[in-house]
Amino acid sequence: MNVWYQFPFVRLAGILILLIFVVDEFSLPIASFIYIYGIGLLSLFIGYTLAISSFRYRRGYWILIYLGIAGVMVGWIGTRINSYKPIEGTRHVALKDSVLYYKGSVIDEVKHKDKYVESLLEVTAVYCYGQWEQATGKIQWRVACSDDSRLPVMGGEYLLKGKPKPFVSFNNEGFDWGAYQRRNHIYLQQWSYPTDYILLQRDTISLKVKVLQLKRDILWRIHQYFPNKNVEGILKALLLGDKTGLSKELKHQYATTGVMHVLAVSGLHVGILLSIFFYLLRYYQQRIYWCIGITVTALLLLWGYVLLTGGAASVSRSALMYSVILIGLCFRRKANILNTIACSAVMLLLIDPYHLFRVGFQLSYTAVVGIVCLQPRIKKLWSPSSLVLKYLWELTAVSIAAQLATFPFSLYYFGLFPTYFLLANIPVILLVTLLVWGGVVTIGMMYIWEWGAIKGAILLTQLLDGMNSLVKIISRLSYASIELKVNSVQLGLLYILVLLIAIVLHQRRWYYFAGIYLLLLYFQLDYYL
């Protein structure tokens, strides 16, 4: 049997990615894509009817089914992509003229910067030509800090004065800020002072607002128990994805050593928290009702944690992937990990096709695919007899695989390669495992047992101080990072290089090294000439 039949979602993800690239290049009216969607559904219906009938000329039914699937996918993707754009036929606020006032709701957490606060506003109506009109669109809203009581709150509906302005598209060393915002469906921005808006009503009952209140309470308690600002900032980032307390120097040190990924709540953190549930599922695998109860509990806690961290893209992707794995284990289905990864990617891309163009999406999925495909092969290169060395070598293999899979994107977006990533990643990941579990237990004790919370905070402070000191020492070593910016062509060449390395590891055909050498030589000439 063809090996690709084992990976239906991998094939579907490949087709979906190709279609997103193609459809994104065309700004057709939404109605056109709706027609394509309808034709696809009709084709599917006719193909399925022929498949189950005894009609004499039914052999070509599979052509209609494939065409139907393609039509449905193109129609759906086109509708999703173009529904966010300010194109003809939409009510996008960017298309409105002579806007004097507009109404909108704050749909994201309010982030505090040095001299202003920032959030995301979803427009509902605009006042122009002497009347109110319905409108859509998202605006990046910044408000100058003055009186805290006047600052925006999440869930609040506001009346604002003035017309929002489009982003100025500028290119900063290859990074186009305007294009980045458009990929996030944000086409406009507004700078306001507290006198430029009025609070119409405040949402106090929605689940999102209640979760935000809980998050603020946890952040306040962490602030009370951890007086050291660097320790407080790292713990908030590790557990809740809140990076507002991190200094620029600390961020630079973690980026230089290649361990910045631990400060973004992602699959590593979710996996640590779910490890006990995976153990319980394996222990009670013969008791179906126990398995269902454990799985439901794990899923509720998992998605509750996603809400608590603000629904960041990295944790949402991980949660979706782990949900599929948990359900598979519950019903004793042996999940193919690559198929599971592709399934989560397909779901996210169907919800929002622009996920594909986001840095976090690209880095997280290439890292996970790299670990799954390359880590087992790298691990086989050495088989230490000691259990301790074996465990450390497995961690090393994971780190090498992830770095190998993501370094082209890192060079493309950030122009930085951490030289000592192995030296930093192994101890930091071991410490993060202790810190995540210790942090969860300590936060729980903050609500029920003050003495235990104080002792837990002291222990966590020592561990966090140790981790920060280790990262600081490594970041100050000579040649701790290499600055190398690549363009899109070089990015493609680097991923061909990664593919050749994967083939060498998988098939042990060493003559592929000739291809690797020639590719490296061409890359060097292309970069310096």
Side-chain angles (χ1 to χ4, degrees), residues 59-74:
R59 292 182 180 178
Y61 70 89
W62 57 271
I63 299 175
L64 286 172
I65 289 177
Y66 284 142
L67 287 174
I69 292 171
V72 168
M73 290 176 68
V74 170

Side-chain angles (χ1 to χ4, degrees), residues 182-431:
R182 287 192 293 274
R183 297 295 190 191
N184 288 287
H185 320 309
I186 306 169
Y187 291 84
L188 301 168
Q189 59 183 336
Q190 176 81 49
W191 177 270
S192 303
Y193 291 93
T195 54
D196 295 334
Y197 59 88
I198 299 171
L199 176 64
L200 298 177
Q201 62 180 358
R202 180 178 296 189
D203 181 5
T204 58
I205 60 172
S206 70
L207 177 62
K208 198 171 184 179
V209 172
K210 293 292 184 184
V211 172
L212 179 61
Q213 290 172 351
L214 174 61
K215 182 178 180 178
R216 285 177 177 169
D217 185 60
I218 294 171
L219 291 173
W220 179 81
R221 289 175 188 271
I222 290 174
H223 177 72
Q224 296 298 311
Y225 280 87
F226 295 89
N228 185 313
K229 286 187 177 180
N230 282 340
V231 167
E232 177 193 351
I234 293 291
L235 192 63
K236 286 179 177 178
L238 274 176
L239 297 179
L240 297 170
D242 187 322
K243 297 181 185 178
T244 55
L246 297 175
S247 65
K248 290 182 179 178
E249 183 185 5
L250 200 60
K251 286 181 181 178
H252 178 73
Q253 289 170 0
Y254 273 76
T256 302
T257 52
V259 292
M260 190 67 180
H261 61 92
V262 303
L263 301 183
V265 178
S266 60
L268 172 66
H269 306 71
V270 174
I272 292 169
L273 292 172
L274 288 179
S275 57
I276 189 169
F277 291 102
F278 285 120
Y279 172 79
L280 289 172
L281 280 173
R282 287 188 176 92
Y283 186 80
Y284 290 105
Q285 61 182 340
Q286 301 301 325
R287 303 180 183 180
I288 186 63
Y289 293 111
W290 276 87
C291 283
I292 292 172
I294 292 166
T295 302
V296 170
T297 304
L299 290 174
L300 288 174
L301 291 174
L302 173 59
W303 288 100
Y305 183 62
V306 171
L307 288 174
L308 193 62
T309 56
S314 57
V315 69
S316 299
R317 288 189 291 269
S318 304
L320 187 58
M321 189 168 63
Y322 277 113
S323 297
V324 176
I325 294 171
L326 280 167
I327 294 169
L329 283 174
C330 174
F331 294 103
R332 304 173 203 170
R333 301 287 182 182
K334 189 176 180 181
N336 183 298
I337 189 64
L338 272 179
N339 226 26
T340 303
I341 295 166
C343 177
S344 67
V346 167
M347 289 180 183
L348 286 170
L349 291 174
L350 287 175
I351 294 169
D352 183 358
Y354 272 143
H355 273 305
L356 181 63
F357 302 104
R358 290 168 190 158
V359 181
F361 182 91
Q362 294 168 2
L363 285 173
S364 62
Y365 274 99
T366 50
V368 174
V369 171
I371 290 169
V372 171
C373 296
L374 299 177
Q375 189 267 351
R377 303 295 171 180
I378 296 171
K379 188 176 72 171
K380 287 180 181 179
L381 296 176
W382 184 42
S383 300
S385 56
S386 168
L387 288 176
V388 175
L389 284 177
K390 185 178 180 181
Y391 178 69
L392 292 175
W393 172 238
E394 286 180 357
L395 280 180
T396 303
V398 168
S399 186
I400 293 172
Q403 198 68 45
L404 190 61
T406 58
F407 89 90
F409 275 133
S410 298
L411 293 180
Y412 180 71
Y413 288 113
F414 312 116
L416 194 71
F417 181 78
T419 313
Y420 303 115
F421 70 91
L422 276 179
L423 188 61
N425 266 278
I426 295 172
V428 166
I429 289 173
L430 290 171
L431 284 169

Side-chain angles (χ1 to χ4, degrees), residues 491-520:
L491 174 68
L493 291 174
L494 286 174
Y495 269 111
I496 293 172
L497 175 65
V498 171
L499 181 62
L500 288 173
I501 293 171
I503 292 171
V504 168
L505 288 170
H506 184 71
Q507 298 184 0
R508 303 292 178 90
R509 294 178 182 176
W510 301 105
Y511 53 80
Y512 278 103
F513 271 119
I516 293 172
Y517 175 77
L518 290 173
L519 197 61
L520 284 172

